[in-house]
Amino acid sequence: MKAGRLIWSTRYHGTGSCYPHPVTATVLSTAQLPIDVGPLLGGHRYIEPETGEFSREEILSRLGDVQGLISLLSVAVDEEVMDAAPNLKVIANYAVGHDNVDLGAATARGIVVTNTPDVLTEATADFAFALLMAVCRRLGEGERLVRTGGWRGWSPTLLLGQPVFGQALGVIGAGRIGQAMLRRGQGFGMTLRYCGPRRSVAADALGAQFCDLEELLEVSDAVSLHCPLNASTRHLIDAAALARMKPSAVLINTARGGCLDAEALAKALREGTLAGAGLDVFDGEPTVPDFLLACETAVLAPHLGSATYIAREGMATICAGAIRSVLAGDVAPTTLNPEVLR
Ligand code: DGY
């Protein structure tokens, strides 16, 4: 399907005479979004690139009078950006993950930071489960075999994989998306476990057993990462963690690339101490290291977890609403640093 705006969107790049309210602030988006959020901003002036994304230099040069910023997860919203934006009041990060935003620096400057939870939960869990299925049933290898003309016909031993139905699923981080993943596992008759900093009433209600990371790694047939990236989760899955996993197990990551040690993962896949991996996110993306590209049993995707029309439209609408609220002096429901409001 062709990339671009959602078909029901109307384009708008004006500064205003058709707006019902006078233009009072400037809002910059670092990328063109799937819907035109200009009309949703309550009369504020809206700037976005004609296509694609602004470069970092373009972003920095345009921030002088910007009061609202919509940022992609690929943009480091750090002190340099905030220093270049002395009038900035709100950063609406177009993602639920916000490891790209220096939350402390924003809070110190009194800038509200928001994200886009909920609207992408089911889309991301769908994609994580799709990766799980693809890895267990060796779909990537099968597709490559057909496309490269290497398929010689049905064989009793061709690309035998791991079952999914009735297996043990371990979810690391039982927040919204982790719970949605557990629900999918429930539908596939899987035994459910989860780990994280605290118990989740919702995950417990799904019949998932709360356990520590070590147990989860040792008993699960499929392990799926759904934790945020922060100091305590960077390289959470390292060589030692991988060594605890069954050789028949698979690892799925739709969270952030930095949550696992990719070199250790590639080694485990190469040496056959892990059956497969499904990766939607990479440290330093969009660059994917050669040692991962060389892993036949890894299914690799270009960060598509939330990539449905509905989810991406919802994310844009939340960003616009948050900016509009903050600039009107109201509280945005998705505020990440409410201490700024005090
Ligand atoms: C997020 O929201 O954090 C995803 O990675 C992209 O939607």
Side-chain angles (χ1 to χ4, degrees):
M1 196 173 294
K2 197 166 164 284
R5 299 267 199 190
L6 298 182
I7 49 170
W8 55 85
S9 159
T10 50
R11 293 190 66 85
Y12 184 82
H13 292 281
T15 53
S17 61
C18 61
Y19 279 132
H21 307 293
V23 171
T24 57
T26 299
V27 177
L28 177 87
S29 173
T30 67
Q32 194 184 64
L33 301 178
I35 59 162
D36 182 9
V37 299
L40 307 178
L41 290 170
H44 299 299
R45 177 170 174 254
Y46 179 58
I47 302 168
E48 66 168 22
E50 279 297 317
T51 56
E53 299 173 29
F54 283 134
S55 67
R56 186 161 180 92
E57 290 66 38
E58 286 170 327
I59 295 169
L60 290 171
S61 71
R62 287 168 191 268
L63 285 172
D65 63 349
V66 163
Q67 282 152 298
L69 176 67
I70 300 178
S71 50
L72 293 199
L73 59 86
S74 49
V75 175
V77 186
D78 50 16
E79 297 203 307
E80 185 185 25
V81 166
M82 295 178 213
D83 287 347
N87 299 307
L88 193 59
K89 295 189 168 46
V90 49
I91 299 163
N93 205 41
Y94 187 73
V96 68
H98 48 86
D99 46 284
N100 60 308
V101 181
D102 186 337
L103 202 55
T107 304
R109 288 166 163 79
I111 301 169
V112 174
V113 181
T114 68
N115 68 343
T116 62
D118 296 320
V119 287
L120 47 66
T121 297
E122 303 302 339
T124 307
D126 279 350
F127 199 77
F129 211 82
L131 279 179
L132 191 162
M133 301 274 286
V135 175
C136 285
R137 301 305 306 272
R138 305 181 66 178
L139 193 54
E141 292 164 89
E143 223 237 359
R144 284 193 292 280
L145 190 68
V146 173
R147 284 187 187 276
T148 55
W151 184 34
R152 298 285 168 261
W154 191 89
S155 148
T157 54
L158 179 65
L159 290 178
L160 305 186
Q162 305 298 332
V164 175
F165 189 88
Q167 300 297 290
L169 172 65
V171 160
I172 299 177
R176 300 173 185 84
I177 301 171
Q179 289 165 30
M181 187 67 173
L182 288 168
R183 284 199 303 276
R184 282 154 182 75
Q186 195 180 42
F188 275 71
M190 300 178 93
T191 309
L192 308 177
R193 280 186 187 73
Y194 72 98
C195 67
R198 66 193 70 82
R199 270 187 97 122
S200 155
V201 176
D204 289 349
L206 292 169
Q209 187 190 324
F210 183 57
C211 63
D212 59 26
L213 177 63
E214 289 70 27
E215 178 184 335
L216 182 138
L217 293 169
E218 283 161 15
V219 303
S220 298
D221 299 302
V223 172
S224 192
L225 280 158
H226 298 284
C227 51
L229 176 62
N230 54 40
S232 63
T233 59
R234 176 161 288 281
H235 285 196
L236 183 69
I237 303 300
D238 57 8
L242 291 163
R244 288 184 181 273
M245 294 179 68
K246 302 180 193 178
S248 57
V250 303
L251 179 70
I252 307 302
N253 189 10
T254 53
R256 285 292 181 269
C259 295
L260 60 81
D261 177 346
E263 283 191 52
L265 173 65
K267 184 168 185 286
L269 294 173
R270 256 193 330 266
E271 294 177 356
T273 56
L274 192 72
L279 307 177
D280 187 39
V281 285
F282 305 87
D283 217 5
E285 62 187 48
T287 303
V288 178
D290 287 344
F291 57 77
L292 278 180
L293 295 174
C295 292
E296 283 293 314
T297 54
V299 175
L300 310 176
H303 206 149
L304 295 178
S306 65
T308 66
Y309 286 107
I310 289 175
R312 293 284 169 84
E313 182 193 13
M315 291 160 69
T317 305
I318 288 182
C319 285
I323 287 190
R324 189 176 170 154
S325 294
V326 174
L327 294 182
D330 296 330
V331 178
T334 55
T335 300
L336 292 165
N337 54 348
E339 57 272 34
V340 164
L341 307 170
R342 291 194 291 271

